[in-house]
Amino acid sequence: MSTLTDAEVAHFLEFGYIKVPNAIPRSVCEEAERECFERLGFDMEDQSTWSMPRIHMPSTKHREVKDVSPVAYEKMCALVGGEHKLKQPCTWSDGYIVNLGVRADDPWEPAGPDCPGWHVDGDFFLHFLDSPEQALLVIVLWTDVVHQGGPTFMASDSVPVIAKYLADHPEGVEPNGFEFQQRIRECQRFEEATGEAGDVYLIHPFTLHATSQNVLRKRRIITNPALILNEPMRFDLPMNELSLVEQKTVNALGGVPFKFQPTRERERRVPGQKQMPKSSM
Ligand SMILES: [Fe+2]
């Protein structure tokens, strides 16, 4: 099974993410874009028909990731420690997150702590350091995504910030309980998830990210599929027995494996009741 290159491993451990280029054929993405606009009832080529700047569409169909993008699937498995760790079926849907001109009339504001909406994903569970519900933050680019055209902002040095917060709260953290706008002030490294249609970002789940403006009014379509583990993460094994996601967390907290024990039951939460940013990308 093809896995990660040395460069991808090094990049993930340093920056908390990898970008998988050409993970989906461009022709498949173009078909998805056409379908998306058909469902919206907008004309792709006529901006006057784009009556909403942002739409988070419901999912109508799911496909196994291994069929849509074998290469992304293999790399996802490699990052989390193997296919057996992933809850099946592992699927991607057509629940597109469409940005056709978010805050397009405002001056472009580069990624930084003053941008609104920083968060980590997972509005449906009480968060622990080892939570299995969010194995990776995945961003699938179904269109080209360019600077100033609605790229997701990422703080690529935020894993230690969120890891420390979760380690300090073994009783769990509510989805809206991280005080994100304070946490983001502890970060300095900001990046944009730009790329071409078919590129896929695989990102450590503790990475703070935020929607951005689309001042160019480009057609920007992504999905943000959840990836769930069968069991909680482990941090108490020798480093070479931990997944890369787990290693990144251990490194963020001093580099020495340790035992993490939640002090409260794992609990589900109902999305939408916790004042999370409504649209996450
Ligand atoms: Fe998000």
Side-chain angles (χ1 to χ4, degrees):
M1 164 166 154
S2 120
T3 51
L4 302 167
T5 65
D6 290 346
E8 286 171 329
V9 170
H11 195 274
F12 187 84
L13 290 174
E14 173 73 19
F15 299 102
Y17 74 91
I18 63 168
K19 177 181 175 180
V20 186
N22 305 310
I24 307 168
R26 180 168 280 271
S27 59
V28 173
C29 295
E30 288 171 350
E31 181 58 28
E33 186 181 17
R34 276 193 295 274
E35 278 184 19
C36 173
F37 271 78
E38 271 180 34
R39 285 170 62 196
L40 289 170
F42 299 170
D43 182 338
M44 276 172 58
E45 305 299 338
D46 182 358
Q47 291 188 356
S48 71
T49 66
W50 303 355
S51 55
M52 284 184 284
R54 183 213 301 273
I55 310 101
H56 193 155
M57 298 167 68
S59 299
T60 66
K61 57 188 174 190
H62 294 75
R63 289 184 62 200
E64 295 242 17
V65 181
K66 66 178 80 165
D67 296 331
V68 183
S69 178
V71 63
Y73 186 69
E74 287 180 0
K75 290 182 189 296
M76 281 163 45
C77 291
L79 287 170
V80 304
E83 185 175 25
H84 63 287
K85 298 278 187 76
L86 284 181
K87 188 167 182 181
Q88 300 291 343
C90 181
T91 62
W92 286 347
S93 83
D94 59 352
Y96 300 119
I97 305 170
V98 185
N99 179 341
L100 299 175
V102 168
R103 302 199 306 280
D105 295 327
D106 296 341
W108 168 257
E109 186 179 353
D114 293 330
C115 296
W118 290 103
H119 65 283
V120 295
D121 279 0
D123 57 0
F124 61 95
F125 62 95
L126 184 66
H127 288 242
F128 297 97
L129 188 67
D130 63 348
S131 286
E133 292 93 340
Q134 190 74 39
L136 284 172
L137 166 65
V138 178
I139 303 176
V140 183
L141 309 189
W142 295 98
T143 58
D144 294 346
V145 178
V146 300
H147 173 63
Q148 299 192 336
T152 302
F153 287 159
M154 304 184 290
S156 60
D157 58 353
S158 56
V159 171
V161 173
I162 296 299
K164 173 111 181 18
Y165 196 82
L166 287 164
D168 289 344
H169 293 278
E171 76 281 11
V173 180
E174 296 292 343
N176 64 344
F178 289 86
E179 299 173 297
F180 290 121
Q181 292 304 128
Q182 293 183 38
R183 300 284 80 72
I184 196 64
R185 299 207 170 276
E186 300 173 52
C187 302
Q188 278 97 40
R189 207 164 57 204
F190 297 97
E191 303 193 39
E192 300 178 1
T194 55
E196 298 187 358
D199 294 351
V200 173
Y201 280 82
L202 305 176
I203 307 167
H204 192 287
F206 298 167
T207 299
L208 286 162
H209 58 284
T211 190
S212 81
Q213 296 165 261
N214 182 355
V215 297
L216 301 177
R217 291 190 166 88
K218 294 277 190 187
R219 301 189 300 263
R220 192 229 63 169
I221 304 172
I222 63 169
T223 47
N224 177 210
L227 188 66
I228 301 171
L229 298 173
N230 287 316
E231 301 289 338
M233 295 191 216
R234 296 279 299 267
F235 309 113
D236 58 343
L237 300 171
M239 287 294 258
N240 62 3
E241 295 179 31
L242 298 177
S243 73
L244 285 161
V245 174
E246 292 162 340
Q247 285 183 40
K248 174 76 180 161
T249 302
V250 170
N251 287 342
L253 294 170
V256 179
F258 59 91
K259 176 82 174 165
F260 175 77
Q261 186 66 51
T263 59
R264 187 168 151 198
E265 291 291 308
R266 298 180 196 278
E267 294 173 7
R268 305 282 291 185
R269 292 290 180 265
V270 179
Q273 293 189 347
K274 295 292 175 188
Q275 291 146 35
M276 281 287 283
K278 182 69 179 167
S279 209
S280 63
M281 296 282 174

